[in-house]
Every structure is written in C-alpha cells, then in structure tokens.
Amino acid sequence: MSPRRNFHLAAALDGAGSHPAAPEKPFTPEAYARLIRAAESGLLDFVTVEDGPGRLDSALLLTLAAAVTDRIGLVPLGPAAGDPEAWATRVATLDHLSAGRAGVRPRVAAGNAEHARLVGALGTLEGERLVARLFGRAAEFLDAATGAWGTLVHPPQGRPPLAVLAHATVPYRLAASHADVVFVTPKDTADLVAIRQEIGTLLAKAGRPAGSLRVLADVNVVLGGSQEEADARRARLDEAAGTPFTSDAAVFTGTPERLADLLESWYREGGADGFRLRPAVLPDDLDTVATRLVPVLQERGLFRTAYTARTLRGHLGLADLRGPGSPVDERRIPL
C-alpha cells in the first residue's frame, strides 16, 4: 500500500491504565490534566477519557484540561441515552471551552434488564435482534443529538467528531453511518485489512465518500527500554493480576522502536489511518509514548513534528463544517 498522509495517534486514559494490575493511584482532576499535557507534549491528535461507576466525570475532567492545554483534542465518553439535546449541549460546551478541540465517544447504552437479556442471548438469533435494536436506537439518538448542533446549540467546529468503538458488523455499520472516527481491534495485519474492507463497503452503502471516516486501530502497550525490560514489566503485572493480560484489542510488549515497526506495518500494509494506544500503566507508558515513541515515528516521517491545526477536526483532516462567519476563537476560555 502506497504511503499516505502521516498517521494519527491518540491515547486512551482508562483508570490507572489498561492492565488490570496497573497500580491504583489517586487520579485527581489535576492528575488527569497532567496526563493530558504529557500527551500534548507528544503532539498526539487527541485523548479519550473513560468514566463510569466510581470514576470522575470524563466531560468535566476534560473541561479542566481545556484550560491548561492548547492544541490536543479532548474526547469524553458520552452514553447515547437520555435527552439528546442535553447531550449535544454538553459536548458543544466543551467545544466552546476548548476553542474547537472537543469530540465525543458515544457508548451504546442498555438498562440492567436489557443488558442481562442480551448477555443471555449472545450467539443466538434473538441476541442478534437485540443487538440490532440496541444499535438502531443509538443511531436515532445520535441523529437527534447531532441535529441539535445545527439548530439549538452551535459548537465552534460545527460538528465535534464522533468516535465509535466497534468490534463487529453491527457497530461497524453505526460507525459508517454516523461517526468520524472508528476504533477497531484487529489482532494482526490480515485482520485489519479485512476490517478496513468491511467498513469501506458499509461506508459506501451509507452514501458517504471514502476518506470521511478515520479508522484507528487500538493497541494496548507495555513498554520498556529493552525487550527484556518490557517482558519483565509485563510478567510482574500479570503476576499481580493472577492471570495473563488479555484484551479486546492487541497487546504489544516491547520497545518503542519495535512498537513503531508494528504501527508502520499496520499503517502501510493494513490500511489503518492511525492508532489509539492504551497505556498499560499510567503515567509510565504514556510518558514513554510521548518522549520515546513519537521521536522514532517522526524520524521515519510517519508523524507530525508540530501541530498545524487548532481544532480536532483539523488534526484529523476532516471537512470544515463551520458555517460562514463562525470562525473558531483560538483563545481557550480560562477557568
């Protein structure tokens, strides 16, 4: 596959890290802000922040981060449920506070009873029908929420990017019809090629042009200065967890140079537009990405050496959807 533009790079901030034995730390809002500033020092396109029971609200955390960063994109989790206009307003507010750097990762939401029924029916025709209904409802919610951006509230970007995590055809279809970014979870290059082809077919069926959806592969990363050091870190974490680290996404253990090899291969041969890295331990693996991986990618001509845009849509090379007379105010709002 011939070289394209430089690829995109993002980081997933999920608790203390993606490894279940990542040492728990008191991640205060200020600590999250420091993590995001570290990611910005590495010129990453954006960060995603997970939330849920027992965790701080991701949109509010990123509101604080907006005040202490200048360029990096900020993507909170946003369950696709409840009042779509309130959802749209919350994302638009972050977009204003960050001067056009907000996105959102819609999560398909199910109630407790519906979730239990779905789990019990997985692998059956009834399960397939339940999944299709769940994602159909999410699509309707997103139609209403994104419609509100053009009528009730007006985010600086016009449409903050939607980023969807997808593992199979039904979520791929939601991404193809509604998203600007899709996170996929290939296990190897051949798997990535197949995923990319399926998404391309669904994108065409949705009536969208090729190149309107960025396909980013998720990779968990356990990094070390040498292969031996990385393997030892992984072994200690696995021992503490009591089981080998498995994930919905690929798990890489090794040096930044070898990680660069993998990313370059998946970019050139697999067709990925970029990657969302899941640091196994925070802040350790995120710092290594920013200070050691990024320079290797820059030396290979694969990643930017400076930010050239000020909005998240700009970082991703997406169409400018701002209306006439509504330029992005490049001054972030101090808190």
Side-chain angles (χ1 to χ4, degrees), residues 9-15 32 35-36 39 44-51 55 58-59 61-62 72-78 101 103-106 161-165 181-183 216 218 275-279 282 286 312:
L9 197 62
L13 306 184
D14 184 3
Y32 268 101
L35 290 173
I36 296 166
L44 272 60
D45 291 64
F46 61 91
V47 295
T48 61
V49 177
E50 302 293 311
D51 59 23
R55 295 189 181 183
S58 58
L61 286 172
L62 291 174
I72 193 166
L74 307 170
V75 180
L77 190 67
R101 294 184 285 127
V104 62
R105 183 169 87 77
L162 302 183
V164 172
L165 174 63
V181 177
V182 57
F183 304 124
L216 272 60
D218 273 15
F275 305 90
R276 183 175 68 154
L277 303 181
R278 303 180 185 179
L282 292 169
L286 177 62
L312 180 51

Side-chain angles (χ1 to χ4, degrees), residues 151-227:
T151 56
L152 298 178
V153 293
H154 300 282
Q157 294 180 95
R159 174 189 161 103
L162 302 183
V164 172
L165 174 63
H167 304 297
T169 297
V170 173
Y172 293 158
R173 186 176 294 116
L174 178 67
S177 61
H178 288 79
D180 303 284
V181 177
V182 57
F183 304 124
V184 298
T185 54
K187 300 303 182 184
D188 53 34
T189 304
D191 192 21
L192 176 55
V193 169
I195 291 169
R196 180 83 204 213
Q197 290 174 344
E198 182 175 4
I199 289 174
T201 299
L202 293 169
L203 194 67
K205 288 182 178 179
R208 297 178 61 190
S212 60
L213 176 64
R214 301 288 175 263
V215 178
L216 272 60
D218 273 15
V219 184
N220 295 277
V221 295
V222 184
L223 299 172
S226 66
Q227 187 62 48

Side-chain angles (χ1 to χ4, degrees), residues 10 19 31 43 55 71 82 98 102 118 183 198 209 268 272 276 318:
H19 196 290
L43 306 176
R55 295 189 181 183
R71 295 293 187 93
S98 63
L118 177 60
F183 304 124
E198 182 175 4
R268 297 197 187 282
R276 183 175 68 154
L318 297 169

Side-chain angles (χ1 to χ4, degrees), residues 282-296:
L282 292 169
D284 309 47
D285 291 299
L286 177 62
D287 289 341
T288 303
V289 166
T291 62
R292 295 197 54 197
L293 173 66
V294 166
V296 174

Side-chain angles (χ1 to χ4, degrees), residues 1 15 17 31 56 80 84 91 101 103 130-131 137 159 163 166 190 230 234 238 268 274 291 312:
M1 192 170 288
L56 298 175
V91 178
R101 294 184 285 127
L130 289 171
V131 168
R137 193 166 67 227
R159 174 189 161 103
R234 170 77 176 272
D238 287 354
R268 297 197 187 282
T291 62
L312 180 51

